[in-house]
Amino acid sequence: MVKVNAAEVLARQVKARSWQREHVAMGTNTDPYQRAEGRYRLMPGIIAALADSGTPFSILTKGTVLGRDLPLLADVDVPVSLAVSIALLDRDLQRTLEPGTPSPKARLDLVRRITDAGLPCGVMVAPVLPGITDSAERLDALLAEIAAAGATGVTMIPLRLPRGAREWYLAWLGRERPDLVAAYRDLYRGGATASAHYRSALAERFAPLARAHGLDRGMPRSQAVPPVEGPRQLTLL
């Protein structure tokens, strides 16, 4: 489903007297630079509508199509910040977990292109996979590449397993890493989120590595996933 009139509807909404120019965070739910964007080219109109109305915004994506819009993003006269999602470096593992998405190298190259254009770029290290990508060695290697690409900060999120994703991921785990199935059932016995003990231990492991690579500034608050009870949403119908 593609809402091909998204830019036109947004332009009307942000011109309304009721619109207070709240920050608009794109990519916290659905990636705005999926492959279909290469065909439909909706984002240039959306960016223009926000900028023309004086609305600050941020974009979180794993899609390298964003590179097409860097000249436009660098030229807007409102606060804008960008972030790229990079979860791991292993290309074979990435192909099995995120088929059809840009490679880790392509995403790191996108970070470089963003910062070369003079725009701030954070990296969302997410999801971190327990027992697979959460070791100090793997995280350190990933953060070294992220820092070399010029990222301005990182935020880390452990794997979440809500219904739907949970069944798919555990089936994948059973095929690829059956040795971890029991550990995962224990870690996620409370629901979609890993146990508090695991999350605390991972944060303690991650923080000094981020500091060592100069990435402990994190991403702007505007790029964080909003809470359930948060700013109102724009619905583009």
Side-chain angles (χ1 to χ4, degrees):
M1 180 181 294
V2 180
K3 297 181 179 180
V4 294
N5 64 337
E8 290 81 0
V9 174
L10 176 63
R12 291 198 301 269
Q13 290 185 332
V14 295
K15 288 177 182 176
R17 289 185 177 181
S18 59
W19 180 242
Q20 300 299 309
R21 296 179 177 82
E22 296 98 333
H23 183 104
V24 173
M26 292 177 278
T28 58
N29 187 22
T30 300
D31 195 325
Y33 282 101
Q34 298 178 49
R35 292 169 68 182
E37 171 61 16
R39 173 182 175 184
Y40 290 95
R41 299 181 65 88
L42 300 177
M43 283 298 290
I46 290 171
I47 291 166
L50 293 171
D52 290 347
S53 69
T55 301
F57 63 92
S58 59
I59 299 172
L60 169 63
T61 184
K62 65 181 67 173
T64 53
V65 180
L66 180 146
R68 178 200 66 198
D69 294 339
L70 282 178
L72 177 60
L73 289 163
D75 198 42
V76 299
D77 196 26
V78 295
V80 56
S81 55
L82 306 174
V84 179
S85 173
I86 308 175
L88 46 84
L89 295 175
D90 187 322
R91 177 58 167 147
D92 291 334
L93 179 59
Q94 185 261 341
R95 282 193 184 101
T96 67
L97 287 170
E98 298 180 326
T101 61
S103 69
K105 181 182 183 303
R107 298 185 211 182
L108 289 165
D109 288 343
L110 177 62
V111 174
R112 292 187 185 93
R113 293 176 63 190
I114 292 170
T115 55
D116 286 347
L119 291 163
C121 182
V123 169
M124 182 78 78
V125 178
V128 175
L129 310 177
I132 301 175
T133 64
D134 62 347
S135 70
E137 293 76 16
R138 289 210 174 199
L139 292 172
D140 185 54
L142 176 59
L143 292 174
E145 292 290 340
I146 290 171
T152 52
V154 294
T155 295
M156 179 274 296
I157 300 178
L159 176 69
R160 294 186 71 257
L161 291 177
R163 187 167 56 184
R166 185 186 189 97
E167 290 79 5
W168 183 93
Y169 185 81
L170 291 179
W172 175 87
L173 199 69
R175 294 191 304 272
E176 303 292 332
R177 292 295 305 270
D179 57 307
L180 292 176
V181 171
Y184 268 76
R185 293 194 186 280
D186 183 55
L187 272 179
Y188 290 89
R189 67 181 181 274
T193 306
S195 70
H197 175 75
Y198 173 80
R199 286 183 281 119
S200 176
L202 179 61
E204 290 179 4
R205 186 182 313 151
F206 187 86
L209 296 173
R211 283 196 299 272
H213 290 287
L215 296 169
D216 53 325
R217 286 161 289 177
M219 298 195 306
R221 291 184 62 188
S222 59
Q223 291 175 333
V225 177
V228 175
E229 296 296 328
R232 66 188 182 93
Q233 296 181 347
L234 289 172
T235 303
L236 306 181
L237 298 176

